[in-house]
């Protein structure tokens, strides 16, 4: 079974023990009902897995993005979908890296215990996707509060969060020197905000992913909820995006292992014309190719993790890891579906569910073309296209 | 009270075991190893007794190659306090293990030793009993329930006819059966803590035990491949085949 044992085997074994309690049928049922895997996420939380990156002094395990990525990989490798919970792993990073000591004391221990779920990050808007600096949601200071107005879209896990990270413009675009200035990050208490200036509209979608449209209408939040300095929020968010992309790369690697294990087992057993179909090189080679690509993408994923954990720039590596891993999981998904034939389309084989789930990562959290654009302009220094 | 929990590193129960080409044993190279599931139940029971305040210390011991440390760490992540490995590359038979356990019991003076009723690799089902005999202690084997009372343990045993309850004076030996409990899965913070817990290493010589095997393995072979069955048309044909072909009635 892949991946092969590595230095994180102890974590992998412990996670597989936990995941054994949540077999494919569990996730199939959650998908069919369009519900949230509460019991599974509760087990992960209770066993401390989602607090891996929170320092020990705040109640977590003080591990790096590398170990966190192994956790997410294993969730997907064992048939689950870490998209339901990866926000809890990395969103607190904004608070940890840029919050005040008082904010960290107030929230991190409760996030570590799972009492507070900080699973959402509200950046994307209907009219400004990746063009983040043009976002229109504003935060205007009024006494000791900020008043928020605007709209966000594709904001995940809001229905299963207590707190949310919000990026809003505090200084109008026209008044800043650099367009990345003038945005600020806030912590929003969702229980207080809902119905008091914030409303959420769930968006039904191709995969069972809980995501929403958010409307801010004079939502007031205390000034204490500003994270870091006013106007520097965009930089804070970028760190979080690199963590998110790298974790999602690991999830794609986990998906790829799942598809590869599944297709190797199936094609070795499925007998047509008196021999297993895997005996045909026409079947073997695409599977082998997919394996090679997965191993390669996995190296870039660990490279991105390593840089992030050393606090070095990892924008290029995080983006490249996400692109390669998403491509390889999609390739593995196609191979797996193809060689399952008609059975691949049957819900009970779980291939179609994982196929839909992993397809998302060609698009989210940053689309393949925008990764290429990043590499072209920021790594290769080609002329800017936008 | 102090509890000693011996654990064995075995081929993981999910692995399809393969016999070595020369018939000398089963393949263990590049095979996933983990804690014997019955021993996991023993660790769980000991940790529960500690959580209830009945036990003060849970000492986990293992014997074998240096990788047995991983097995001990797994038990420490479940809640064991410290570990001891008797390290040797030799093949260990139940009697040698029981003798080494005796050496450890004399050093550690536990009030109870709880271990799996058997290991899933050799299915010997001997170590607990041999150890109890060497110590002259009472034994409650195949336990499905353990109840610590003042100076004694009440053990409900799974026997052929149902359940038997015995009362043992402490110190005593308990071997675990499947229904005793369901082991917990390790939590991340406890895995991290387990890395820092004390783990001492001894050698069989430190305990004065000669581990030379007394048995010789003649042959290890795969079970015969299962033959396909047949369908019979009616009861008469079935009876005829049972009588004349299978000759069982």
């Amino acid at each position: 079974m892949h991946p092969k044992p590595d230095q994180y085997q102890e974590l992998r074994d412990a996670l597989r023990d936990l995941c054994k309690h949540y077999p494919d049928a569990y996730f199939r049922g959650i998908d069919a009902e369009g519900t949230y895997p509460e019991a599974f996420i509760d087990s992960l939380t209770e066993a401390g897995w989602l607090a891996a990156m929170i320092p020990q002094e705040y109640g977590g395990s003080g591990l790096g993005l590398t170990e966190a990525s192994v956790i997410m990989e294993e969730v997907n490798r064992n048939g689950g979908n870490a998209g339901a919970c990866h926000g809890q792993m990395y969103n607190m990073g904004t608070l940890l890296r840029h919050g005040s000591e008082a904010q960290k004391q107030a929230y991190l221990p409760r996030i570590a215990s799972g009492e507070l779920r900080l699973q959402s990050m509200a950046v994307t808007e209907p009219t400004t996707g990746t063009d983040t600096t043009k976002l229109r949601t504003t935060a205007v200071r009024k006494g000791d509060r900020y008043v928020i107005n605007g709209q966000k879209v594709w904001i995940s896990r809001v229905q299963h969060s207590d707190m949310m990270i919000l990026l809003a413009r505090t200084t109008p675009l026209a008044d800043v020197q650099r367009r990345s200035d003038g945005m600020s990050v806030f912590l929003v208490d969702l229980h207080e905000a809902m119905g008091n200036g914030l409303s959420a509209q769930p968006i039904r979608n191709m995969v069972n992913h809980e995501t929403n449209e958010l409307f801010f209408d004079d939502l007031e939040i205390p000034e204490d909820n500003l994270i870091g300095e006013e106007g520097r929020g965009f930089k804070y968010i970028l760190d979080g995006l690199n963590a998110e992309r790298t974790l999602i790369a690991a999830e794609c690697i986990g998906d790829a292992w799942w598809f590869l294990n599944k297709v190797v087992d199936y094609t070795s057993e499925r007998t047509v014309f008196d021999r297993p179909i895997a005996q045909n090189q026409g079947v073997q080679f695409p599977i082998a190719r997919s394996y090679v690509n997965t191993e390669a993408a996995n190296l870039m994923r660990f490279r991105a993790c390593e840089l992030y954990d050393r606090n070095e720039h990892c924008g290029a590596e995080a983006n490249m890891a996400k692109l390669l891993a998403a491509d390889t999981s999609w390739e593995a998904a196609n191979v797996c579906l193809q060689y399952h034939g008609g059975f691949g389309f049957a819900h009970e084989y779980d291939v179609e569910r994982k196929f839909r789930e992993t397809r998302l990562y060609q698009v989210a959290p940053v689309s393949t073309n925008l990764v290429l654009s990043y590499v072209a302009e920021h790594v290769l220094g080609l002329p800017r296209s936008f | 009270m102090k509890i000693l929990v011996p654990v064995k590193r075995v081929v993981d129960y999910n692995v399809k075991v393969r016999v070595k080409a020369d018939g000398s044993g089963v393949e263990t190279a590049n095979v996933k190893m983990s804690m014997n599931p019955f021993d996991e139940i023993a660790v769980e029971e000991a940790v529960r007794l500690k959580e209830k305040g009945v036990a003060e210390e849970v000492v986990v011991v293992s014997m074998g190659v240096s990788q047995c440390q991983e097995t001990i760490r797994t038990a420490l992540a479940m809640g064991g306090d410290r570990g001891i490995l008797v390290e040797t590359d030799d093949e260990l038979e139940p009697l040698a293990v029981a003798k080494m356990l005796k050496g450890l019991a004399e050093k550690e003076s536990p009030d109870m030793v709880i271990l799996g009723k058997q290991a899933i690799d050799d299915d010997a089902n001997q170590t607990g009993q041999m150890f109890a005999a060497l110590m002259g202690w009472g034994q409650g084997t195949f336990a499905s329930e353990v109840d610590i009372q003042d100076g004694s343990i009440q053990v409900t045993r799974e026997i052929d006819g149902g359940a038997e309850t015995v009362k043992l004076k402490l110190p005593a030996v308990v071997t675990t059966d499947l229904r005793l409990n369901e082991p917990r899965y390790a939590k991340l913070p406890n895995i991290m803590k387990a890395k820092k817990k004390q783990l001492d290493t001894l050698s069989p010589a430190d305990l004065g035990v000669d581990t030379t095997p007394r048995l010789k393995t003649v042959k290890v072979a795969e079970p015969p491949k299962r033959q396909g069955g047949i369908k019979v048309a009616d009861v008469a044909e079935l009876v005829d085949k049972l009588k004349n072909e299978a000759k069982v009635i």
Side-chain angles (χ1 to χ4, degrees):
Chain A
M1 296 298 272
H2 299 285
K4 288 193 283 269
D6 61 11
Q7 56 184 309
Y8 307 105
Q9 200 54 35
E10 193 181 13
L11 301 182
R12 294 184 190 279
D13 284 347
L15 272 158
R16 286 174 199 176
D17 271 352
L18 187 154
C19 289
K20 253 181 246 155
H21 292 73
Y22 299 92
D24 289 336
Y26 169 80
F27 293 107
R28 201 182 307 142
I30 296 285
D31 184 63
E33 291 158 18
T35 51
Y36 187 80
E38 295 275 6
F40 176 62
I41 306 297
D42 284 352
S43 293
L44 281 177
T45 307
E46 202 249 334
W49 294 107
L50 300 181
M53 291 175 75
I54 298 179
Q56 287 182 333
E57 63 262 40
Y58 300 111
S61 287
L63 294 169
L65 187 68
T66 311
E67 289 85 355
S69 82
V70 169
I71 296 167
M72 299 288 92
E73 176 195 342
E74 284 297 325
V75 168
N76 281 39
R77 144 79 168 71
N78 285 285
N81 182 3
C85 63
H86 59 208
Q88 183 78 352
M89 191 74 99
Y90 65 78
N91 276 326
M92 66 80 212
T94 310
L95 187 58
L96 177 65
R97 289 190 171 200
H98 309 290
S100 67
E101 189 52 40
Q103 286 171 328
K104 289 194 252 187
Q105 293 286 356
Y107 300 114
L108 288 178
R110 291 161 72 202
I111 294 170
S113 73
E115 180 196 338
L116 276 185
R117 292 181 298 182
L118 176 63
Q119 304 211 83
S120 292
M121 174 167 67
V123 175
T124 305
E125 299 188 356
T127 52
T128 52
T130 313
D131 197 1
T132 311
T133 58
K134 293 218 186 78
L135 61 78
R136 294 180 183 177
T137 299
T138 56
V140 177
R141 198 180 250 282
K142 183 180 132 192
D144 60 354
R145 304 178 84 74
Y146 284 92
V147 182
I148 316 288
N149 278 289
Q151 197 179 337
K152 298 278 177 186
V153 74
W154 304 119
I155 309 308
S156 300
R157 300 167 295 268
V158 173
Q159 315 289 337
H160 295 89
S161 291
D162 302 292
M163 314 280 294
M164 176 178 79
I165 300 274
L166 169 71
L167 183 68
R169 196 161 262 295
T170 36
T171 308
L173 192 55
D175 300 344
V176 291
Q177 281 194 323
R178 279 181 307 181
R179 57 187 181 172
S180 57
D181 290 342
M183 286 175 279
S184 305
V185 171
F186 300 91
L187 206 50
V188 178
D189 181 324
L190 287 167
H191 299 294
E192 279 179 13
M194 284 296 176
N196 294 310
L198 174 63
S199 60
Q201 187 67 45
I203 305 171
R204 288 177 54 82
N205 55 79
M206 182 173 107
V207 285
N208 180 32
H209 185 71
E210 189 244 287
T211 192
N212 305 269
E213 200 170 4
L214 300 184
F215 302 92
F216 299 86
D217 185 12
D218 286 335
L219 170 70
E220 293 194 10
I221 51 178
E223 63 176 353
D224 287 349
N225 286 22
L226 173 73
I227 295 180
E229 284 175 49
E230 189 182 297
R232 297 181 55 82
F234 187 66
K235 288 190 179 60
Y236 303 159
I237 287 289
L238 286 183
D239 274 345
L241 295 182
N242 287 333
E244 180 186 45
R245 282 167 201 182
T246 309
L247 287 179
I248 285 174
E251 291 164 29
C252 289
I253 297 289
D255 278 342
W257 295 138
W258 187 92
F259 287 118
L260 284 167
N261 285 318
K262 191 97 174 166
V263 75
V264 164
D265 286 350
Y266 184 78
T267 55
S268 303
E269 280 170 16
R270 169 74 170 156
T271 302
V272 181
F273 303 120
D274 301 322
R275 59 190 215 163
I277 58 173
Q279 207 173 333
N280 302 303
Q281 288 190 326
V283 174
Q284 284 178 357
F285 287 1
I287 298 172
R289 168 75 65 175
S290 168
Y291 176 86
V292 172
N293 288 343
T294 303
E295 286 281 21
N298 201 21
L299 295 176
M300 183 54 84
R301 159 268 182 116
F302 277 115
R303 174 77 180 137
C305 288
E306 184 193 334
L307 291 173
Y308 185 94
D309 286 337
R310 290 209 307 248
N311 259 320
E312 290 179 29
H313 290 295
C314 65
E317 288 77 8
N319 273 301
M320 291 191 286
K322 189 265 169 189
L323 179 137
L324 290 171
D327 279 356
T328 196
S329 75
W330 179 231
E331 180 188 23
N334 261 318
V335 165
C336 187
L337 186 71
Q338 188 68 23
Y339 297 131
H340 272 75
F343 292 108
F345 291 80
H347 290 186
E348 65 171 293
Y349 280 77
D350 301 293
V351 177
E352 61 82 34
R353 171 174 60 85
K354 294 284 283 182
F355 178 93
R356 283 184 280 122
E357 287 171 357
T358 214
R359 180 65 178 80
L360 175 65
Y361 298 124
Q362 292 288 312
V363 174
V366 59
S367 77
T368 303
N369 274 353
L370 281 156
V371 173
L372 294 173
S373 156
Y374 177 93
V375 172
E377 295 175 11
H378 295 272
V379 181
L380 301 174
L382 297 173
R384 296 194 67 139
S385 58
F386 56 84
Chain B
M1 68 189 287
K2 186 196 242 187
I3 304 179
L4 198 71
V5 193
V7 298
K8 186 176 185 184
R9 183 170 185 265
V10 298
V11 174
D12 187 83
Y13 72 95
N14 275 316
V15 171
K16 271 188 200 157
V17 172
R18 279 178 309 147
V19 173
K20 279 187 193 162
D22 63 2
S24 64
V26 298
E27 195 59 71
T28 53
N30 295 321
V31 166
K32 180 170 162 47
M33 307 291 282
S34 46
M35 195 192 308
N36 175 36
F38 290 107
D39 296 341
E40 226 177 328
I41 294 172
V43 174
E44 176 67 32
E45 196 65 20
V47 170
R48 286 188 192 183
L49 287 171
K50 192 184 169 191
E51 285 168 348
K52 272 192 234 161
V54 177
E56 284 90 45
E57 192 182 25
V58 175
V59 183
V60 180
V61 305
S62 189
M63 291 159 195
V65 294
S66 69
Q67 291 92 324
C68 293
Q69 288 189 17
E70 293 163 16
T71 315
I72 294 175
R73 294 277 177 214
T74 304
L76 298 182
M78 288 172 72
D81 294 296
R82 62 186 168 89
I84 304 170
L85 169 63
V86 185
E87 193 175 332
T88 170
D89 291 335
D90 296 342
E91 186 86 10
L92 295 175
E93 289 175 359
L95 184 60
V97 173
K99 284 179 181 172
M100 289 194 278
L101 280 179
K102 179 170 184 273
L104 287 172
E106 281 162 2
K107 274 169 102 90
E108 294 284 339
S109 311
D111 303 282
M112 177 165 91
V113 174
I114 184 166
L115 68 163
K117 67 171 182 178
Q118 66 195 68
I120 60 166
D121 50 3
D122 57 15
D123 282 331
N125 183 6
Q126 294 168 357
T127 303
Q129 293 89 329
M130 286 177 170
F131 167 66
L134 290 175
M135 296 301 288
W137 290 358
Q139 54 179 295
T141 49
F142 317 131
S144 64
E145 215 178 310
V146 172
D147 184 19
I148 309 281
Q149 294 158 352
D150 205 17
S152 66
I153 326 178
Q154 193 165 296
V155 177
T156 304
R157 308 181 58 231
E158 302 215 356
I159 57 170
D160 287 349
E164 178 191 60
T165 303
V166 294
K167 195 170 174 180
L168 314 170
K169 258 197 311 198
L170 292 175
V173 179
V174 175
T175 74
T176 59
D177 215 321
L178 271 184
R179 273 168 284 269
L180 181 58
N181 60 49
E182 197 183 320
R184 67 194 65 193
Y185 36 76
K187 296 182 178 183
L188 178 58
N190 297 341
I191 294 173
M192 302 305 292
K193 277 183 212 149
K195 289 182 197 291
K196 292 182 190 138
K197 289 181 181 174
Q198 185 186 339
L199 202 171
D200 300 318
T201 304
L202 301 173
S203 71
D206 293 335
L207 299 168
V209 177
D210 175 10
T211 58
T212 311
R214 294 166 171 241
L215 303 173
K216 190 173 165 229
T217 301
V218 180
K219 192 175 80 172
V220 176
E222 297 259 5
K225 277 227 156 50
R226 196 168 165 267
Q227 302 292 321
I230 52 160
K231 271 188 185 169
V232 291
D234 50 31
V235 175
E237 191 190 342
L238 175 65
V239 172
D240 175 66
K241 282 190 182 297
L242 288 174
K243 204 176 262 177
N244 300 317
E245 272 181 38
K247 297 190 175 26
V248 292
I249 55 172

